[in-house]
């Protein structure tokens, strides 16, 4: 006999702000705020998006496991997709494997990116298992990033990015490799006076809804810290980043 998987949620419910972009019986898509970890870990046992979703589900009378379909780093803001059942998780994850899900980001990078658009095709690996940082290396996994320049500020460039592969820290590693590290990225470059984190936001996600198979695109507005940084650059190009 097989035991059915216990579907109960295992995160402690906590009052964490959850900004919902879209929700139906299968999925909830949120605009994750910066500085919040996605799910509990040893270093961050509470105060995570997982805890906030557990509270939301509890208040809605939904007793189900929280299944993250994509992940974002603690300091990256933007679209985070969560399945409410195994079926929805499976269907969308399979779309991802077939490259049918479109993920787009906005990033502010150092320097003037000369080309209006381009593709970074460079394998990413982990040089040291004891460290979290990744780098471009021959033995790494194939990694492809497409980008388009949206705005130039002289000492910084706003780029739109489409990920073809989803390696850990892919955007941060690829743009450092290009000589244009992300503004505020302390792991791969240095801190910024203009923003207290890497200036990276997952702004667009397109996929087919699990039941209707309808292809939909969703967008998430920029958080206040990123918006403020861009406003400062637009008003006076001498702003310290």
């Amino acid at each position: 006999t097989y035991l059915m998987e216990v579907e109960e949620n295992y995160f402690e419910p906590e009052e964490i702000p959850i900004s919902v972009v879209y929700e139906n019986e299968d999925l909830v898509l949120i605009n994750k705020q910066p500085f919040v970890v996605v799910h509990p870990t040893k270093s961050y046992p509470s105060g995570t998006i997982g805890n906030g979703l557990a509270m939301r589900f509890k208040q809605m009378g939904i007793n189900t496991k929280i299944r993250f379909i994509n992940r974002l780093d603690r300091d990256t803001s933007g679209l985070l997709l969560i399945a409410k059942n195994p079926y929805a998780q499976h269907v969308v994850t399979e779309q991802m494997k077939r490259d049918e899900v479109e993920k787009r980001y906005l990033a502010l990078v150092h320097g003037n990116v000369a080309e209006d658009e381009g593709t970074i095709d460079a394998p990413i690996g982990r040089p040291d298992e004891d460290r979290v940082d990744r780098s471009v290396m021959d033995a790494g996994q194939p990694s492809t990033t497409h980008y388009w320049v949206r705005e130039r500020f002289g000492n910084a460039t706003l780029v739109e990015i489409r990920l073809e592969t989803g390696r850990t820290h892919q955007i941060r590693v690829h743009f450092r490799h290009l000589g244009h590290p992300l503004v505020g990225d302390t792991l791969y470059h240095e801190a910024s006076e203009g923003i207290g984190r890497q200036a990276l936001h997952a702004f667009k996600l397109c996929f087919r809804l699990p039941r209707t198979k309808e292809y939909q695109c969703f967008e998430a507005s920029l958080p206040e810290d990123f918006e403020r940084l861009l406003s400062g650059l637009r008003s006076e190009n001498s702003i310290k980043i």
Side-chain angles (χ1 to χ4, degrees):
T1 59
Y2 291 98
L3 285 172
M4 285 293 284
E5 181 188 354
V6 176
E7 274 293 296
E8 285 182 12
N9 159 58
Y10 53 86
F11 298 142
E12 201 57 49
E14 285 180 67
E15 287 285 356
I16 307 288
I18 300 291
S19 172
V20 175
V21 174
Y22 174 81
E23 187 167 15
N24 66 12
E25 71 268 42
D26 292 317
L27 303 163
V28 55
L29 180 64
I30 71 169
N31 185 359
K32 178 182 111 53
Q33 61 272 45
F35 311 114
V36 181
V37 173
V38 168
H39 60 90
T41 62
K42 275 195 185 124
S43 314
Y44 299 95
S46 63
T48 72
I49 294 293
N51 300 111
L53 284 166
M55 178 63 85
R56 180 182 171 80
F57 283 7
K58 185 181 173 184
Q59 289 166 346
M60 294 171 75
I62 303 170
N63 187 22
T64 185
K65 188 174 162 187
I66 292 161
R67 302 160 181 276
F68 291 101
I69 293 177
N70 67 325
R71 301 287 164 109
L72 294 175
D73 296 335
R74 172 182 175 268
D75 293 351
T76 301
S77 55
L79 291 169
L80 188 63
L81 186 60
I82 300 98
K84 295 178 178 176
N85 55 61
Y87 168 76
Q89 183 184 34
H90 173 75
V91 170
V92 183
T93 302
E94 286 301 309
Q95 289 179 48
M96 283 185 167
K97 287 179 187 167
R98 296 193 301 266
D99 290 331
E100 292 167 4
V101 175
E102 187 172 315
K103 291 188 272 188
R104 289 189 182 237
Y105 294 74
L106 289 172
L108 187 72
V109 302
H110 282 281
N112 182 9
V113 177
E115 302 294 325
D116 286 341
E117 58 182 78
T119 295
I120 308 164
D121 209 337
I124 292 174
R126 196 169 182 173
D128 184 344
E129 284 302 317
D130 296 329
R131 291 169 45 172
V132 297
D133 57 312
R134 310 301 208 261
S135 67
V136 168
M137 51 195 287
D138 290 339
Q141 293 179 292
S143 309
T144 307
T145 305
H146 306 282
Y147 69 87
W148 298 262
V149 168
R150 289 262 292 248
E151 216 170 329
R152 288 188 174 92
F153 303 102
N155 60 345
T157 308
L158 180 67
V159 287
E160 178 176 332
I161 295 153
R162 182 171 71 80
L163 285 185
E164 201 168 295
T165 50
R167 310 296 174 213
T168 301
H169 300 173
Q170 179 171 322
I171 292 169
R172 299 160 69 186
V173 171
H174 267 174
F175 277 88
R176 182 188 64 170
H177 178 68
L178 206 62
H180 297 287
L182 267 62
V183 169
D185 190 343
T186 53
L187 181 61
Y188 293 105
H189 189 55
E190 62 190 19
S192 161
E193 286 183 27
I195 191 167
R197 63 180 180 104
Q198 68 262 10
L200 182 60
H201 177 69
F203 86 98
K204 189 173 185 180
L205 192 63
C206 304
F207 59 95
R208 290 190 185 282
L209 296 177
R211 284 175 209 261
T212 64
K213 305 294 182 266
E214 183 187 354
Y215 189 73
Q216 292 237 22
C217 290
F218 302 94
E219 292 197 13
S221 54
L222 278 172
E224 196 259 342
D225 62 347
F226 203 144
E227 201 64 82
R228 196 175 57 235
L229 177 63
L230 293 178
S231 298
L233 286 166
R234 286 174 189 133
S235 60
E236 46 156 338
N237 280 0
S238 60
I239 187 174
K240 290 286 285 276
I241 55 167

